[in-house]
Amino acid sequence: MVLELIGALILLIGVFFSVIGVWGAIRLPDVFTRLHASSKVSSVGIVGLLIASALLLPATAPKAVALGILILFSAPVASQSIARSAYRDGCVIVGLMQNDLDVQYIDFAFNYTIGEAFPAEEEPQIEVTTSSSED
């Protein structure tokens, strides 16, 4: 009885977060804020639904734990890669006051830079001095 009440409460919380995530993905103005709403909030909602299913149906607990771990590890990676490709594609960021990524260098393995050119390493200047000893 108590587990069913806790499971129902967590189920409602999970549904609430999932609905807020979908509403944010529809309502927000640009790719990056939509991505934030759909990845962060919906991940919490899905994990809540999985916890509720594990409490209400104990036979599904191992599967729910495995799915929850996979979601917690894969959702941030997927949203980061989508955000990176959207930024590279030139998607407009609504309400941006300062773009900190303009001067950062990313993807060194692919020699891909954004903003300023990659500064060439300067060779250290070695001064050669000759000392003359005058007697």
Side-chain angles (χ1 to χ4, degrees):
M1 179 70 177
V2 174
L3 282 179
E4 289 178 358
L5 288 176
I6 294 173
L9 179 67
I10 294 174
L11 181 71
L12 290 176
I13 291 171
V15 168
F16 172 75
F17 277 107
S18 295
V19 168
I20 293 297
V22 169
W23 180 69
I26 294 170
R27 177 73 176 95
L28 292 172
D30 64 353
V31 173
F32 303 103
T33 54
R34 288 179 183 172
L35 187 61
H36 177 74
S38 65
S39 65
K40 307 293 185 255
V41 178
S42 295
S43 295
V44 173
I46 291 171
V47 170
L49 294 175
L50 290 172
I51 291 171
S53 73
L55 290 175
L56 294 173
L57 304 168
T60 64
K63 293 177 186 177
V65 169
L67 284 173
I69 290 171
L70 286 174
I71 287 170
L72 287 177
F73 282 124
S74 64
V77 173
S79 64
Q80 192 269 341
S81 62
I82 293 169
R84 179 185 284 185
S85 64
Y87 182 77
R88 282 185 187 166
D89 200 33
C91 290
V92 178
I93 303 171
V94 176
L96 182 68
M97 302 297 269
Q98 174 183 351
N99 190 356
D100 292 333
L101 293 177
D102 272 344
V103 294
Q104 290 183 353
Y105 309 109
I106 60 173
D107 291 339
F108 288 117
F110 301 107
N111 293 327
Y112 181 78
T113 59
I114 293 177
E116 300 175 67
F118 185 74
E121 291 185 22
E122 296 179 15
E123 295 182 18
Q125 300 292 330
I126 300 173
E127 293 183 25
V128 179
T129 58
T130 58
S131 62
S132 61
S133 60
E134 296 179 19
D135 291 353

